[in-house]
Amino acid sequence: MTVPDREELLAVGARLAAEAARFSALGWMRATSGNLSEVLSTEPLLLAVTASGRDKGELRPNDVAVVDARGDAVDLPGIAPVRPSAEAGLHAHVAAVTGARSVVHVHTLNAVEAARHWPDGVLLHDLEMLKALDRDAHEDVVRVPVIANSQDMGELAERFDNVYDGAPAVLVAGHGCYVWGQDHLQARWRTEGLDWLLGAALRAG
Ligand SMILES: [Zn+2]
């Protein structure tokens, strides 16, 4: 097991803070909502996740918690413990199931609207922006699944398993979305692309 040292964790924390400030400026992480994570190790699974209860536009590098595969906080020697978001459990589950190294969870209006409009999943096709999800702009249909919201991360994880079929995103009804990738850039680009795609689908009805 590679235990991250303080310097490594602060570097990840700085990256998560910069990403959170970006999403906050887009209105997707209002107040203390949403959370971001990065995988620190896979054996065992450890993730760095943004701290709970902090303004996501003003995170500092040390506003980062380390969690295990269940989303429970892990205390590391020499690192002050920080309370992780309650949603860290789903981040860890998504990383374990999909192999993602970076997970974004934001509360976008387009995700909420699209989940209300298409509760059985959102079909996207014939849009150039599908390339942001590493799919073809033509002759390809991407189905972004929708799951019902819950405060129980185990329940959400089960619902995720029932709908996951390879698309790098899931909408949570009345809540927001989770999007993931191999690193923070891919996760960011997919999140921004997805929001545009959902907005385009909603306008088209
Ligand atoms: Zn949330």
Side-chain angles (χ1 to χ4, degrees):
M1 167 179 173
T2 335
V3 177
D5 62 25
R6 191 170 177 278
E7 229 164 90
E8 191 189 338
L9 189 62
L10 286 177
V12 175
R15 192 156 55 234
L16 295 179
E19 292 301 299
R22 181 187 179 101
F23 293 133
S24 181
L26 288 166
W28 298 351
M29 296 187 90
R30 299 205 182 197
T32 63
S33 71
N35 28 71
L36 310 177
S37 66
E38 262 190 43
V39 171
L40 297 169
S41 97
T42 50
E43 293 285 339
L45 186 62
L46 288 178
L47 293 92
V49 59
T50 48
S52 176
R54 309 273 162 82
D55 189 308
K56 294 304 189 294
E58 299 177 350
L59 290 180
R60 294 159 302 167
N62 60 349
D63 289 328
V64 62
V66 178
V67 299
D68 61 17
R70 296 161 47 89
D72 293 332
V74 174
D75 286 336
L76 297 175
I79 297 174
V82 172
R83 190 162 63 95
S85 159
E87 292 166 322
L90 194 58
H91 283 251
H93 186 73
V94 166
V97 170
T98 70
R101 304 297 299 232
S102 179
V103 181
V104 169
H105 169 55
V106 287
H107 295 184
T108 66
L109 272 178
N110 281 334
V112 171
E113 284 271 298
R116 182 159 44 213
H117 206 72
W118 297 289
D120 297 326
V122 185
L123 295 180
L124 302 167
H125 55 88
D126 294 307
L127 290 161
E128 187 70 18
M129 187 66 89
L130 282 168
K131 291 177 181 174
L133 302 182
D134 302 301
R135 298 291 287 261
D136 294 329
H138 305 286
E139 293 172 9
D140 193 5
V141 177
V142 179
R143 184 175 173 281
V144 179
V146 176
I147 57 174
N149 196 21
S150 172
Q151 303 308 311
D152 180 329
M153 291 306 121
E155 214 164 76
L156 279 181
E158 207 177 302
R159 289 174 188 167
F160 174 78
D161 291 345
N162 288 337
V163 297
Y164 176 63
D165 68 353
V170 64
L171 308 187
V172 185
H175 185 162
C177 60
Y178 286 76
V179 187
W180 51 92
Q182 282 312 302
D183 56 31
H184 73 285
L185 281 177
Q186 191 180 49
R188 179 213 291 171
W189 293 338
R190 285 175 168 177
T191 304
E192 294 187 355
L194 177 72
D195 186 70
W196 189 97
L197 287 161
L198 296 176
L202 285 164
R203 282 181 184 214

